[in-house]
Amino acid sequence: MNLLRITLAVIFATTPGVSSAQEVSPCATCTQAYRLECQTIYEERQATCYRPVTETVYETRKVTRQVPVTETKQMERHFTVMRPVTETSMREERYCVQRQVFETQYRDESYDQVRNVVETSYRDECFTVQRPVVETSERTEFFTVQRPVCETVMRPVTRTVMSPVTTMQQQVVDQGALVNQVTVTPGSRSWPRLTWMSRQTTVDPVTGMAQTVRPGLAWVQNETPPQQQVQQVWKPNPVVVQTPVTSFMPQQVVEQVPTQVTRMVAEQHSRKVPVQTVRMVSEQQTRRVPVQTTRQVVERIERKVPVQVCRMVTEQKVRQVPVTTCRMVAEKRIEPVEIKVCRLVDQTEEIQVPRTVTRMEPVTYTYRVPRTVMVRKPVEEVGCPTCG
């Protein structure tokens, strides 16, 4: 900061008569004008610092641990077995049997039958008959006839016409796709069980020192590893689509339609019409009429129906029935048995114990220091009105 002040004082001392913004020469001489500008200059400097570097060093140590050794011994086991012995004997068994005996009997099912006997006789019957007598005469009949006259008349007819109109309609369409997605099924844990754990050497995460765990029985819980499965999942992608929709709009149209109109014109006519007159004349007639008389006659019809009768007869029979008897007999047996004996044996091993070592490593880096300098720059000349 002091160097900057000294530099500015020297510059202002060497250039008297120049202002802080712009220097202008008098019109008598018309010399070049200058202005001062501040410019920043960066100087590069180097510095050295130290950074910690951590390294892992392995030390060899001898460790003695007890290893279980299993030995097999042969022994004999004495035990008693109950063996079943089956004996079969015969015994007599008496039982009764119902046997069917069929007998034929005749049952009287005679019945009376009523029969109708028809007898025919004749009798005289007198009756009166009306006989028609037809007489024909003529008479004059006047009638009016309606004659159709056809005329063509134009009449306006309004009808509705469906005109097609196409419009654009926005619809959201799902243009998604199937994407593979990985799902992780966590492993299952088994129930804790008692297992023999050998001597283990672990590192204390707090102090970083190696510590030895004595062998012995411990509760161990096994865990199956998680399983990864790839499933296809639908990933929606809604997209707005312009869809042309054609609809029919009703439109009224008036047309001139030729129409046939028929009107009736009345005309007077006459004709001769024959008229038949019918009159009835009575006549007396006689005829023979057959008369049927029905009388009932009773007849006896004999009928014998055979009927089978079943009766049960008891019979006594004897049969031999096998009887099986099971008794238990004790037997002594000898069975060889293998017994496994576990004993501990001392075993010496060399292990690598990790140890962390930290050292300081020098690092050289370059940095820039800004410095402000005042620079004189010429100013463009402007025409003076005095010197022209």
Side-chain angles (χ1 to χ4, degrees), residues 13-71:
T14 54
T15 56
V18 180
S19 62
S20 62
Q22 185 178 0
E23 295 181 358
V24 182
S25 61
C27 296
T29 58
C30 291
T31 59
Q32 180 67 36
Y34 295 92
R35 59 189 176 91
L36 296 177
E37 290 185 358
C38 294
Q39 188 173 1
T40 303
I41 300 174
Y42 292 89
E43 295 180 356
E44 292 186 356
R45 298 180 183 179
Q46 289 187 353
T48 302
C49 64
Y50 293 88
R51 63 176 180 179
V53 177
T54 303
E55 295 181 354
T56 302
V57 180
Y58 292 88
E59 296 180 356
T60 303
R61 295 183 183 179
K62 290 185 179 182
V63 179
T64 302
R65 63 186 182 92
Q66 291 183 345
V67 180
V69 177
T70 304
E71 296 179 355

Side-chain angles (χ1 to χ4, degrees), residues 19 30 56 69-70 87 102 104 107 168 183 197 219 230 232 250 267 274 290-291 317 321 340 357 364 384:
S19 62
C30 291
T56 302
V69 177
T70 304
E87 296 178 355
F102 292 94
T104 302
R107 184 177 59 191
M168 300 302 291
T183 60
M197 300 295 295
W219 292 98
V230 180
Q232 287 190 345
E267 293 182 355
V291 178
K317 293 186 177 181
V321 179
K340 292 184 178 181
V357 179
T364 302
C384 182

Side-chain angles (χ1 to χ4, degrees), residues 54-263:
T54 303
E55 295 181 354
T56 302
V57 180
Y58 292 88
E59 296 180 356
T60 303
R61 295 183 183 179
K62 290 185 179 182
V63 179
T64 302
R65 63 186 182 92
Q66 291 183 345
V67 180
V69 177
T70 304
E71 296 179 355
T72 304
K73 293 183 179 181
Q74 297 290 335
M75 298 182 63
E76 291 184 354
R77 183 166 62 93
H78 298 266
F79 60 94
T80 303
V81 179
M82 301 300 292
R83 183 173 59 85
V85 177
T86 304
E87 296 178 355
T88 304
S89 61
M90 304 297 292
R91 66 178 177 85
E92 287 187 357
E93 184 182 34
R94 296 180 182 274
Y95 63 96
C96 294
V97 178
Q98 297 287 333
R99 184 171 57 86
Q100 296 179 351
V101 178
F102 292 94
E103 295 179 355
T104 302
Q105 297 178 1
Y106 289 91
R107 184 177 59 191
D108 187 7
E109 292 186 358
S110 301
Y111 60 93
D112 294 334
Q113 182 178 4
V114 178
R115 183 170 57 87
N116 293 328
V117 178
V118 180
E119 297 177 352
T120 303
S121 60
Y122 292 91
R123 64 182 177 87
D124 293 334
E125 184 180 22
C126 296
F127 62 94
T128 302
V129 178
Q130 297 289 332
R131 184 172 59 83
V133 177
V134 180
E135 296 178 353
T136 303
S137 61
E138 291 186 355
R139 65 182 178 86
T140 303
E141 184 180 19
F142 296 93
F143 61 95
T144 303
V145 178
Q146 297 289 335
R147 183 171 60 83
V149 176
C150 294
E151 296 178 353
T152 301
V153 179
M154 301 298 291
R155 65 182 182 87
V157 176
T158 303
R159 63 187 182 92
T160 304
V161 180
M162 302 301 291
S163 300
V165 177
T166 302
T167 59
M168 300 302 291
Q169 184 177 0
Q170 290 186 356
Q171 293 183 356
V172 179
V173 180
D174 189 1
Q175 297 182 358
L178 293 175
V179 180
N180 292 333
Q181 184 177 359
V182 179
T183 60
V184 178
T185 303
S188 60
R189 291 188 176 182
S190 63
W191 289 98
R193 59 179 181 177
L194 197 61
T195 309
W196 178 263
M197 300 295 295
S198 60
R199 178 180 295 179
Q200 297 180 359
T201 303
T202 59
V203 178
D204 191 355
V206 178
T207 61
M209 300 297 292
Q211 57 183 2
T212 303
V213 180
R214 294 182 179 180
L217 295 176
W219 292 98
V220 179
Q221 187 176 14
N222 297 328
E223 181 178 0
T224 59
Q227 298 180 358
Q228 295 185 356
Q229 297 179 355
V230 180
Q231 297 179 354
Q232 287 190 345
V233 181
W234 179 263
K235 183 178 181 181
N237 183 20
V239 179
V240 179
V241 180
Q242 296 288 338
T243 305
V245 177
T246 302
S247 58
F248 290 87
M249 302 296 294
Q251 185 178 1
Q252 299 290 335
V253 178
V254 179
E255 296 181 353
Q256 296 292 331
V257 179
T259 307
Q260 294 282 342
V261 180
T262 303
R263 61 186 182 88

Side-chain angles (χ1 to χ4, degrees), residues 243-378:
T243 305
V245 177
T246 302
S247 58
F248 290 87
M249 302 296 294
Q251 185 178 1
Q252 299 290 335
V253 178
V254 179
E255 296 181 353
Q256 296 292 331
V257 179
T259 307
Q260 294 282 342
V261 180
T262 303
R263 61 186 182 88
M264 306 302 291
V265 178
E267 293 182 355
Q268 197 75 18
H269 292 273
S270 63
R271 61 185 173 185
K272 293 291 186 178
V273 179
V275 179
Q276 288 186 351
T277 305
V278 179
R279 59 186 180 89
M280 306 301 290
V281 179
S282 301
E283 291 183 356
Q284 196 75 18
Q285 295 182 0
T286 305
R287 61 185 176 186
R288 294 181 63 83
V289 180
V291 178
Q292 288 187 350
T293 305
T294 302
R295 62 186 181 86
Q296 293 182 345
V297 178
V298 179
E299 296 180 354
R300 183 70 178 176
I301 298 177
E302 300 292 335
R303 182 182 178 186
K304 298 291 183 180
V305 179
V307 179
Q308 283 194 351
V309 180
C310 178
R311 61 187 181 87
M312 306 301 293
V313 178
T314 304
E315 294 182 358
Q316 190 173 8
K317 293 186 177 181
V318 180
R319 63 182 176 185
Q320 298 291 331
V321 179
V323 178
T324 302
T325 305
C326 181
R327 60 187 181 87
M328 305 302 290
V329 179
E331 292 183 357
K332 291 185 178 181
R333 294 185 182 180
I334 300 175
E335 181 182 13
V337 179
E338 291 184 358
I339 299 177
K340 292 184 178 181
V341 180
C342 181
R343 61 186 182 87
L344 298 177
V345 179
D346 293 339
Q347 183 178 354
T348 303
E349 294 181 354
E350 291 184 357
I351 61 172
Q352 298 289 333
V353 179
R355 184 169 59 88
T356 304
V357 179
T358 304
R359 60 184 179 86
M360 303 302 291
E361 182 179 347
V363 177
T364 302
Y365 63 94
T366 303
Y367 65 97
R368 292 183 178 183
V369 178
R371 186 168 60 89
T372 305
V373 181
M374 302 300 296
V375 180
R376 296 177 60 191
K377 287 190 177 182

